Amino acid sequence: MGYKETLLQPIRIGSKICQNRFFAQPMECVDSDSEGNPTDITLERYSKLYDGGFGLVDLEAITVTNESRARKTQLEIMPRNVEALKRFIRSLKEVNPNTLIVFQLTHSGEISESDFSRKVCVKPMYGVGGDLLTEEEVDHIMDQFVLASQICEEVGADGIDMKLCHGYLGSQILRPYNDRDWKYGGPWERRVQWAYDLMERIQKAVSKDFLIGSKVSMFEGFPGGCGTAGPDSPLF
């Protein structure tokens, strides 16, 4: 079988069938309304992906909180967004009922924009800053991820992509730079436990057919970033 034939073959993901191997990566275009809901422009963009026959679409980073976010008009997923997201998914399924969609859930952490939200961090980084998160606050953020996952399922999405990459909170916790002495800091085993604990919480809150995955940064390109050996490691 050639690569063209392979790309067009269905593939099972969990209990769901993806009609082909074409995957639309999440790409933020920050065109929500003032409440973080999809607009007509958002719908037009994703409708084209559905009309194009993609097997799987990953919805651009959608924030689980309004308090800390990187962009003013990025998509948001909280109880106030439920009805708008239901209409959004319903409209997409009218275009193509066979395309699967997962939502990339995110929290911006230290790259939140302080002009309109709260910049927070798990360990202060020179030139970046942010309020130091307490363990209780991190636990609350995990609750927000769980609630967002439940909303995803409620509005008709097929699953979630936990964003543990690209400098957002998930990667801030996983990277070696997070050597702070706290529940999810220091040794790799403690840092990665955050991802395991978050996934387990989400699994308990959604149905067994709901897809749960994540995108993880392998190399961030700075000392102490993901892919380096320690908090002050040189790049190579």
Side-chain angles (χ1 to χ4, degrees), residues 19-93:
Q19 296 299 313
N20 56 59
R21 314 301 174 91
F22 287 93
F23 170 46
Q25 292 273 4
M27 181 63 68
E28 282 186 86
C29 290
V30 288
D31 45 25
S32 77
D33 65 17
S34 60
E35 296 283 299
N37 296 315
T39 60
D40 291 341
I41 297 174
T42 316
L43 178 60
E44 180 183 5
R45 194 154 37 84
Y46 282 93
S47 292
K48 289 178 180 178
L49 297 177
Y50 269 62
D51 190 46
F54 277 87
L56 175 62
V57 170
D58 197 342
L59 183 74
E60 64 195 79
I62 181 169
T63 179
V64 301
T65 177
N66 181 263
E67 182 182 22
S68 298
R69 62 196 198 282
R71 284 159 286 278
K72 185 176 289 186
T73 53
Q74 72 181 112
L75 295 175
E76 301 179 15
I77 181 162
M78 287 166 281
R80 72 180 188 183
N81 306 112
V82 168
E83 293 308 314
L85 289 171
K86 280 183 178 179
R87 291 193 296 272
F88 177 69
I89 293 298
R90 185 164 57 244
S91 295
L92 292 178
K93 289 186 178 297

Side-chain angles (χ1 to χ4, degrees), residues 183-200:
K183 182 178 181 180
Y184 296 122
W188 166 246
E189 290 77 14
R190 290 218 309 250
R191 288 181 278 125
V192 75
Q193 191 61 47
W194 184 78
Y196 293 149
D197 288 351
L198 179 57
M199 180 171 285
E200 287 179 1

Side-chain angles (χ1 to χ4, degrees), residues 105-120:
L105 304 183
T106 190
H107 186 293
S108 296
E110 68 188 19
I111 60 175
S112 297
E113 179 50 64
S114 54
D115 286 348
F116 52 80
S117 68
R118 181 188 177 212
K119 185 190 292 286
V120 295

